[in-house]
């Protein structure tokens, strides 16, 4: 995440709680959040502002970002399962084997130890997933 994205999100967060943050605080917090995606960060701010009447500290906000990241990756992995990714092998795998692979993948995601081959596949499915969501949105828009 860029510093500009971070500062924009923090200004929004501080305005929700009528709290002023100093430049020193922003510099310190940015070091913790620079590797978080902008989408996860903004989504965390939105959710925390709806859930809590008190301004979160850095650890609470970082934990919420982590939860959102896991949830978003899990949705992509679910899409991969529905698309047949976990049935792929030398020959088509059984449903039981595919379910075990899916469960193993979910365990890796929860523990934060995603193997590089799986991370590459998730990233490639991310494009398909976003396109699928956009197509569904357009279809719903047409039905209204």
């Amino acid at each position: 995440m860029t510093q500009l994205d971070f500062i924009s999100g923090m200004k929004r967060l501080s305005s929700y709680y009528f709290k002023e943050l100093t430049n020193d605080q922003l510099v310190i917090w940015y070091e913790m959040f620079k590797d978080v995606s902008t989408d996860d960060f903004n989504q965390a701010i939105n959710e925390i502002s709806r859930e809590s009447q008190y301004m979160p500290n850095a650890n609470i906000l970082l934990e919420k970002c982590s939860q959102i990241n896991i949830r978003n990756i899990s949705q992509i992995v679910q899409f991969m399962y529905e698309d047949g990714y976990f049935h792929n092998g030398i020959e088509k795998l059984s449903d039981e084997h595919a379910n075990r692979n899916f469960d193993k993948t979910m365990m890796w995601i929860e523990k934060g130890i995603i193997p590089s081959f799986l991370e590459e596949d998730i990233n490639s499915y991310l494009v398909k997933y976003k396109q699928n969501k956009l197509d569904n949105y357009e279809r719903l828009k047409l039905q209204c």
Side-chain angles (χ1 to χ4, degrees):
M1 161 172 34
T2 66
Q3 286 181 335
L4 185 60
D5 293 333
F6 174 75
I7 289 171
S8 174
M10 290 304 291
K11 282 189 173 258
R12 199 163 31 91
L13 181 67
S14 66
S15 72
Y16 290 154
Y17 293 100
F18 302 110
K19 295 272 186 174
E20 289 297 320
L21 297 170
T22 66
N23 285 338
D24 291 340
Q25 289 172 316
L26 289 173
V27 168
I28 293 169
W29 279 44
Y30 179 69
E31 286 302 312
M32 292 179 71
F33 290 92
K34 65 183 176 186
D35 295 328
V36 173
S37 82
T38 304
D39 291 338
D40 291 348
F41 181 68
N42 288 325
Q43 194 173 352
I45 289 172
N46 290 339
E47 287 186 18
I48 282 182
S49 65
R50 285 191 304 265
E51 297 169 357
S52 177
Q53 64 184 6
Y54 300 107
M55 174 98 167
N57 62 31
N59 290 333
I60 291 172
L61 185 57
L62 193 58
E63 177 62 29
K64 181 59 96 171
C65 289
S66 176
Q67 291 171 359
I68 288 170
N69 185 39
I70 289 171
R71 186 173 63 212
N72 290 340
I73 292 172
S74 297
Q75 288 174 346
I76 295 167
V77 170
Q78 182 65 40
F79 177 73
M80 291 168 72
Y81 182 81
E82 292 166 2
D83 195 47
Y85 172 85
F86 293 101
H87 285 89
N88 295 338
I90 295 173
E91 53 188 48
K92 186 175 180 188
L93 302 176
S94 68
D95 287 342
E96 181 182 341
H97 198 148
N99 284 331
R100 282 197 311 258
N101 287 342
F102 175 78
D103 291 341
K104 189 175 10 176
T105 299
M106 294 305 287
M107 179 198 62
W108 285 335
I109 290 169
E110 289 172 9
K111 291 185 177 189
I113 52 170
I114 304 172
S116 60
F117 78 90
L118 183 58
E119 191 171 350
E120 290 171 7
D121 291 347
I122 289 172
N123 286 332
S124 67
Y125 262 90
L126 178 62
V127 174
K128 268 177 127 174
Y129 177 73
K130 285 183 177 180
Q131 184 61 46
N132 188 44
K133 282 181 74 172
L134 183 62
D135 291 346
N136 287 340
Y137 175 74
E138 291 296 324
R139 196 169 347 139
L140 288 174
K141 221 166 90 172
L142 290 174
Q143 290 176 356
C144 291

